[in-house]
Amino acid sequence: MSSTPSNKFLPSPKTVAVVGCPFSGGQPKLGVDKGPIHLVQAGLINQVEELGWRVVFDGHHQFEDISPPSNGIQVNATDDAAVDTLNASIARLRSPLFVAQVCESVASVVQAHAEMGHLPVTLGGDHSLAMGTISGTLRAYDQACVIWIDAHADINTIHSTDSGNIHGMPLSFLLKLNPPAPSPDSVLAKFDWVSHLPAERLVYIGLRDVDKGEKEILKKHHIKAFSMHEVDRYGIGKVVEMALDHVNPQRDRPIHLSFDVDALDPSVAPSTGTPVRGGLTFREGHYICEAIHETGLLVALDLMEVNPALADAESVRQTVTVGCSLVRSALGRSSIHCYVRCVHCS
């Protein structure tokens, strides 16, 4: 049976807008763009409807009118060392114009659904998409907070990133940690549309693979993070309570929950691009979703980084099944019922 406390921000009839985003441009591995398709094919739409939600799903966004630039970013050397450093950092980024355009499109879609009183559930796709989803949420709910569930911090700046993969950078754009665009035609200016998320309204759960530069960023900006060490020490129930106390002390702010499946241990969700051992258990991941649902404050949900191309068929089925069950838990279904139902539907 479902458990459905009243949501403090959503009108009746309660409506979920499933936003399928088959996008992989924020990282180099093929296949993550197929994640949303597999989740929907597993019966996710019907499963959400069975929880009593009205579901709006107009198909997956194909971004037909957006295409990646045919050439790399060209920058010219100057006599200004600071400018040259900035240009070198920009040149390391992978497909920044493409990512910026796609995420801006996603932001508009999420914003439109949120302003209609829908709860957007965005299926990725790589986690660079969160620039768009969270921006869309903040446009509709300017006091929203973000609970980010991930093995990684995804807060590298253009200067700290080693890979240039923007799926490891969305929060640096949302927190406005990158340098301002030096000119209107700069690549960085293409990210000016990104909404600002104050650092005190962000909290992490599940971190265990954080780059050195990211650790410095978290410390410098006093960003609250509960790593797997804290999960082991305090238990997931206490960690979720402390996380909520930090970003939502009065329990009056809308919540955007952004869940990367690599937060889960690879034994639970093996088919993802950057798995890291020692992650959340099946129950811990589902408890987070259940607890956020029980607040009655959830206004947007991301499920990111399911990659059906990176494992055998059984591992893909397992990861997709778990992805379905996480969504259902965040929308009011107890995890054991959700898991059984997803197995039947996959």
Side-chain angles (χ1 to χ4, degrees), residues 23-280:
F23 179 69
S24 61
Q27 52 82 62
K29 294 182 180 179
L30 299 177
V32 71
D33 53 318
K34 306 299 183 185
I37 297 167
H38 280 248
L39 290 162
V40 170
Q41 288 178 343
L44 181 60
I45 305 299
N46 289 337
Q47 295 160 22
V48 173
E49 289 175 336
E50 289 175 359
L51 296 177
W53 291 85
R54 174 176 170 263
V55 177
V56 174
F57 177 59
D58 299 324
H60 299 286
H61 293 267
Q62 298 300 330
F63 314 111
E64 295 93 343
D65 58 340
I66 302 172
S67 58
S70 57
N71 299 313
I73 302 301
Q74 300 295 321
V75 293
N76 299 317
T78 73
D79 293 329
D80 187 321
V83 173
D84 285 346
T85 298
L86 178 60
N87 285 341
S89 295
I90 292 172
R92 281 204 306 272
L93 302 182
R94 292 177 180 265
S95 305
L97 299 179
F98 187 36
V99 174
Q101 291 175 65
V102 167
C103 289
E104 185 174 14
S105 175
V106 171
S108 296
V109 172
V110 170
Q111 176 187 3
H113 282 301
E115 289 178 346
M116 287 188 285
H118 302 165
L119 192 160
V121 174
T122 303
L123 308 176
D126 73 63
H127 218 163
S128 68
L129 289 162
M131 269 188 293
T133 63
I134 293 172
S135 291
T137 295
L138 289 169
R139 292 174 185 177
Y141 302 97
D142 62 359
Q143 294 302 306
C145 61
V146 173
I147 300 178
W148 190 279
I149 315 301
D150 206 321
H152 311 90
D154 292 352
I155 200 168
N156 270 306
T157 66
I158 66 166
H159 294 314
S160 70
T161 180
D162 291 325
S163 69
N165 296 327
I166 300 180
H167 78 153
M169 304 174 64
L171 284 165
S172 75
F173 286 100
L174 284 158
L175 271 63
K176 303 297 183 181
L177 303 181
N178 290 298
S183 66
D185 59 350
S186 165
V187 170
L188 289 180
K190 307 306 180 184
F191 293 88
D192 284 349
W193 60 268
V194 177
S195 298
H196 177 223
L197 174 68
E200 64 271 16
R201 284 199 255 139
L202 167 67
V203 66
Y204 291 97
I205 298 176
L207 295 184
R208 58 193 183 276
D209 185 14
V210 181
D211 295 342
K212 179 181 178 181
E214 291 180 307
K215 291 177 182 178
E216 295 172 355
I217 291 168
L218 296 179
K219 182 177 180 180
K220 177 180 178 180
H221 296 280
H222 308 288
I223 298 169
K224 195 70 170 178
F226 294 95
S227 70
M228 288 306 302
H229 176 82
E230 282 77 36
V231 173
D232 292 340
R233 180 177 183 181
Y234 298 110
I236 194 62
K238 183 63 175 177
V239 164
V240 172
E241 181 182 354
M242 290 189 292
L244 285 168
D245 285 344
H246 178 74
V247 294
N248 210 336
Q250 304 302 318
R251 303 299 194 268
D252 57 356
R253 287 175 175 162
I255 295 174
H256 184 120
L257 177 62
S258 196
F259 203 121
D260 186 325
V261 295
D262 73 21
L264 301 170
D265 190 79
S267 64
V268 179
S271 193
T272 188
T274 49
V276 185
R277 292 175 60 188
L280 297 168

Side-chain angles (χ1 to χ4, degrees), residues 257 259 284-294 326-327 329-330:
L257 177 62
F259 203 121
E284 288 168 342
H286 286 79
Y287 180 86
I288 294 168
C289 294
E290 294 163 7
I292 300 308
H293 169 76
E294 289 170 359
L326 290 170
V327 172
S329 291

